[in-house]
């Protein structure tokens, strides 16, 4: 599969949400339907088929529900594009993928805001900001190594009382400086 086809498969807003949910636990279409009420069940089936065909998802088990087989889907591989694959994607496609990704972030933030009468952004630790800084590649890598290590550990934690599912998004790009 060409890297742009792989990226098209992953970055589609509905498929990205499905893959993110499956990264937490295996799910049935019925459970996905409850977790994604804004998506038609027929769409869920169509998008599951695409990620199945793309090799990102597998049928972990099948069991009968009222005489009809119900599949439980699990993530086979993380939805990831390698550094090598990134180099093979056009600038236009990168911009399209980034725009789609940012749109999905906006949709997720709106869903959070709509989920409560009066969301408490302070106690929920909601925020967004940016900071500019000068760093060479080694300094930049040193900054993110502890964050990457900690995120790797915390992302493996199971749900339990007091823990809330959270999303942390880091977007990084060099600024264009005047010459």
């Amino acid at each position: 599969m060409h890297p742009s086809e792989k990226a098209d498969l992953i970055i589609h807003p509905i498929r990205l949400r499905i893959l993110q949910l499956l990264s937490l636990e295996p799910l049935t279409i019925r459970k996905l339907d409850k977790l994604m009420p804004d998506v038609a069940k027929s769409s869920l089936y169509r998008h599951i088929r695409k990620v199945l065909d793309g090799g990102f998802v597998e049928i972990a088990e099948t069991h009968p529900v009222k005489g009809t087989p119900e599949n439980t889907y699990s993530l086979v591989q993380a939805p990831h594009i390698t550094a090598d694959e990134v180099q093979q994607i056009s600038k236009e496609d990168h911009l399209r993928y980034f725009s789609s990704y940012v749109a999905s972030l906006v949709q997720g933030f709106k869903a959070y805001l709509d989920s409560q009468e009066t969301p408490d952004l302070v106690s929920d630790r909601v925020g967004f900001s940016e900071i500019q800084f000068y760093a060479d590649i080694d300094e930049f890598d040193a900054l993110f190594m502890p964050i990457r290590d900690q995120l790797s550990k915390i992302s493996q934690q199971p749900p339990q009382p007091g823990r809330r599912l959270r999303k942390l998004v880091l977007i990084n790009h060099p600024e264009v400086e005047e010459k």
Side-chain angles (χ1 to χ4, degrees), residues 55-82:
F56 288 99
V57 171
E58 68 181 1
I59 298 172
E61 65 181 48
T62 302
H63 58 278
V65 175
K66 297 180 184 176
T68 304
E70 180 179 58
N71 296 326
T72 300
Y73 301 94
S74 64
L75 197 63
V76 174
Q77 61 174 311
H80 178 72
I81 300 169
T82 67

Side-chain angles (χ1 to χ4, degrees), residues 24-25 154 156-166:
L24 301 172
E25 64 179 321
I154 203 168
Q156 302 304 311
Q157 294 182 157
Q160 69 181 42
R163 285 189 181 150
R164 186 167 184 188
L165 182 60
R166 298 182 178 277

